[in-house]
Amino acid sequence: MRILLTGTNGYIGMRLLPLLITNGHEVICCVRDKNRLSIDSETRKKVSIIEIDFLIPPDSSKLPKDIDAAYYLIHSMSSSTTDFEKKEEIAAKNFNTYVENTNIKQVIYLSGIVNEKNLSKHLWSRKNVEETLYKGKYNLTVLRSGIIVGSGSSSFEIIRDLCEKLPLMITPKWVNTKTQPIAIRDVLNFMIGVLGNATCFNQSYDISGPNVMTYKQMLKQYAKVRGIKLFILTVPVMTPKLSSYWLYFVTSTSYKLALNLVDSMTIPVIANDNRLQEQLNISPMSYVKALELAFIKIEQNQVVSSWKDSMVSGRFEKNIQKYVTVPKRGCFKDQKKIKLKNSESALNRIWGIGGETGWYYGNWLWKIRGYFDKIFGGVGLRRGRTHPDELFSGDALDFWRVLVADKKEMRLLLFAEMRVPGEAWLEFDIDRHGVLHQTATFRPKGIWGRLYWYAMVPFHYFIFDGMIRRIAS
């Protein structure tokens, strides 16, 4: 089958893509920016890539006519705290316009469980998108999922941050809300199972794991699996806004995502039926099993995708490629170079920078900078990195975004997503003579930008000098 995969760069899309390829399907990857599609060169040879932003007026000529099916994986919850519902409705309507002149037979939409009368903005938006997609000229299959648990998922990473960092938690009353989590592996099995299955056309299904539990029980169960002592004190005085700030400062989540998550966590998310389980003969795994599999992937460095690599985890939602060309005028620069004894080992150290490895010199200063960034609304250092030794354009790397990661050309270009009064780049480049060039570029905005650079010059001298020497050592 020829399949259109929207949201390819997302957490689910990156997991679904290799399964579709393995099953022999021809996949058309639909992304807003093809330059930041985080797949290796071999995978790129096996797929087609088209650029479409479903929030702008449709240009139907961009889509090939001979499409058999599509996965609709477009969400905007992390991009806004006010109008994400409007954005999601516009995207769904534009999607219908895009595909109305194709031969598409089925669209598969991954939604959320919406069985309560009073829904959060997030869940109401999911239901509204479902109703919009049902108006399309195709057969729709809706999979309504509970909280997804897997290495790199936002829910798993938030639970992980909370339990690993806070042995004593003072929590709001929404931790007693019931939910029904599902493992990412089971979600993918359902998504593959309904593809081309005529009995699933124009049907909506709840999909979930076997365990109905409160968020508090999820935290406790995580602690038990990890062998951590955890004490939770629930208080009724935490407002949604205060709870959002609490999640934002303790976990790696963005404030926008935290606010929308807290809004949804007050609503029970429990499946009403298991028709699809019986129909596809799938027995979803328990919450504990999902946790254990997530840690196996983490320990084996096999995390395929992470929500933190999405553009909305940082400051910029789109047009990141306009920063690929580093400006030369009106900028301050810190340039250093060093002759390498072994270019290959230095390149590997560059590709392993950040995350748990750190920045090779003055890590405590980097951490302090991360704390201040978080206080002023930035991303801080908690995003880390998805892979310990691989980098792709578009990846998050602590409070940087990877613009260029070309190992063949021995060049890594990072753009700062930290809060600074200007724009900042950090570049590593090894030339053909085996010389490592390390360049920090800052384009200030106004007088505060200039004062910021001069204030940081003493720190830059020690940090950047120590960093390049450690990379070369």
Side-chain angles (χ1 to χ4, degrees):
M1 296 177 66
R2 199 169 196 210
I3 299 170
L4 178 69
L5 180 61
T6 67
T8 310
N9 254 330
Y11 177 73
I12 300 294
M14 289 295 292
R15 306 267 173 148
L16 190 58
L17 178 59
L19 296 179
L20 294 173
I21 294 174
T22 300
N23 289 344
H25 298 294
E26 183 182 347
V27 183
I28 303 169
C29 298
C30 185
V31 294
R32 287 191 298 182
D33 185 352
K34 64 182 180 181
N35 293 310
R36 63 164 301 266
L37 181 55
S38 301
I39 56 177
D40 56 52
S41 57
E42 288 302 312
T43 303
R44 281 183 180 269
K45 295 175 183 177
K46 300 175 183 177
V47 301
S48 302
I49 304 172
I50 57 174
E51 289 183 323
I52 294 179
D53 185 344
F54 286 99
L55 290 177
I56 63 177
D59 176 6
S60 297
S61 63
K62 289 186 176 183
L63 273 187
K65 187 175 181 179
D66 52 338
I67 297 173
D68 298 304
Y71 284 95
Y72 190 84
L73 303 175
I74 300 170
H75 301 301
S76 300
M77 185 178 73
S78 302
S79 64
S80 172
T81 60
T82 55
D83 64 346
F84 70 88
E85 320 101 285
K86 184 178 180 180
K87 289 182 178 180
E88 292 192 337
E89 183 177 7
I90 291 172
K93 287 180 177 178
N94 286 342
F95 174 83
N96 285 344
T97 302
Y98 265 107
V99 301
E100 64 182 2
N101 293 321
T102 69
N103 299 327
I104 194 167
K105 299 178 181 65
Q106 182 189 24
V107 172
I108 300 166
Y109 170 48
L110 182 62
S111 183
I113 293 177
V114 288
N115 294 326
E116 297 296 313
K117 289 184 179 180
N118 297 318
L119 297 174
S120 65
K121 288 172 62 176
H122 160 225
L123 292 175
W124 178 88
S125 181
R126 292 286 191 268
K127 189 174 183 179
N128 184 50
V129 168
E130 178 180 332
E131 293 172 354
T132 302
L133 293 176
Y134 264 119
K135 297 175 183 177
K137 298 178 181 179
Y138 45 75
N139 300 294
L140 181 65
T141 302
V142 180
L143 302 178
R144 297 169 172 170
S145 168
I147 287 177
I148 298 175
V149 180
S151 57
S153 74
S154 58
S155 301
F156 172 81
E157 294 298 339
I158 288 172
I159 291 171
R160 184 185 181 189
D161 279 343
L162 290 173
C163 293
E164 301 284 351
K165 296 173 182 176
L166 297 176
L168 171 62
M169 294 186 205
I170 300 176
T171 61
K173 60 184 179 181
W174 52 251
V175 295
N176 293 319
T177 304
K178 290 185 177 180
T179 186
Q180 200 164 353
I182 181 171
I184 178 61
R185 186 172 301 188
D186 291 324
V187 173
L188 296 174
N189 286 338
F190 281 118
M191 296 183 76
I192 293 294
V194 299
L195 179 62
N197 190 331
T199 60
C200 299
F201 287 179
N202 299 313
Q203 297 288 325
S204 295
Y205 302 96
D206 290 350
I207 60 173
S208 63
N211 306 120
V212 176
M213 54 204 312
T214 65
Y215 292 106
K216 183 176 181 178
Q217 289 171 327
M218 290 177 67
L219 293 167
K220 287 280 192 180
Q221 198 66 259
Y222 176 98
K224 185 177 180 180
V225 169
R226 292 285 289 156
I228 298 171
K229 288 185 178 181
L230 180 63
F231 301 93
I232 300 177
L233 176 63
T234 305
V235 296
V237 294
M238 267 196 173
T239 65
K241 191 168 186 178
L242 187 59
S243 298
S244 303
Y245 280 120
W246 179 67
L247 280 182
Y248 169 66
F249 282 109
V250 175
T251 74
S252 56
T253 186
S254 65
Y255 177 71
K256 294 175 183 177
L257 180 58
L259 189 61
N260 291 323
L261 282 175
V262 168
D263 184 42
S264 295
M265 285 175 174
T266 61
I267 308 297
V269 180
I270 302 173
N272 276 353
D273 70 80
N274 58 2
R275 291 176 297 141
L276 195 58
Q277 296 180 28
E278 298 172 358
Q279 194 171 322
L280 300 181
N281 194 26
I282 294 175
S283 298
M285 68 182 69
S286 68
Y287 174 65
V288 170
K289 182 65 174 177
L291 290 177
E292 292 172 345
L293 286 178
F295 276 104
I296 289 174
K297 292 295 183 182
I298 292 170
E299 290 165 2
Q300 294 177 346
N301 295 324
Q302 293 181 346
V303 180
V304 177
S305 62
S306 172
W307 79 272
K308 290 179 283 189
D309 285 330
S310 65
M311 294 302 294
V312 292
S313 75
R315 290 174 59 193
F316 304 94
E317 295 181 28
K318 55 185 177 180
N319 297 328
I320 192 71
Q321 285 302 310
K322 72 179 183 180
Y323 299 104
V324 168
T325 302
V326 183
K328 296 181 179 179
R329 295 184 178 181
C331 297
F332 295 109
K333 289 183 181 287
D334 183 289
Q335 295 176 306
K336 289 180 169 52
K337 62 181 180 179
I338 191 170
K339 177 68 175 177
L340 300 173
K341 295 180 180 179
N342 189 321
S343 296
E344 185 176 350
S345 63
L347 186 65
N348 289 335
R349 278 190 284 276
I350 293 171
W351 246 248
I353 204 167
E356 293 184 4
T357 301
W359 293 81
Y360 298 121
Y361 190 83
N363 280 329
W364 63 278
L365 289 172
W366 288 95
K367 289 179 180 179
I368 291 173
R369 182 64 181 87
Y371 293 143
F372 276 104
D373 190 54
K374 200 80 170 175
I375 290 172
F376 288 99
V379 296
L381 290 175
R382 289 199 180 99
R383 292 189 305 184
R385 53 181 293 159
T386 300
H387 306 281
D389 53 14
E390 291 183 3
L391 288 173
F392 297 97
S393 297
D395 282 0
L397 182 59
D398 290 333
F399 44 43
W400 302 89
R401 179 72 61 176
V402 179
L403 296 183
V404 177
D406 192 331
K407 214 165 188 179
K408 186 177 180 181
E409 295 295 325
M410 297 187 175
R411 181 177 181 236
L412 178 66
L413 177 63
L414 309 177
F415 183 74
E417 291 193 305
M418 67 189 84
R419 293 288 179 179
V420 290
E423 298 159 344
W425 292 258
L426 180 60
E427 183 174 8
F428 302 92
D429 180 36
I430 301 176
D431 66 24
R432 58 190 181 90
H433 301 294
V435 176
L436 169 60
H437 300 264
Q438 175 185 284
T439 307
T441 303
F442 182 69
R443 181 161 61 185
K445 288 185 178 180
I447 185 63
W448 291 111
R450 287 165 172 76
L451 291 175
Y452 170 83
W453 175 263
Y454 290 126
M456 296 300 293
V457 165
F459 299 102
H460 288 169
Y461 177 80
F462 291 106
I463 290 174
F464 291 143
D465 184 69
M467 185 166 61
I468 193 171
R469 291 182 182 281
R470 291 282 176 85
I471 290 173
S473 64

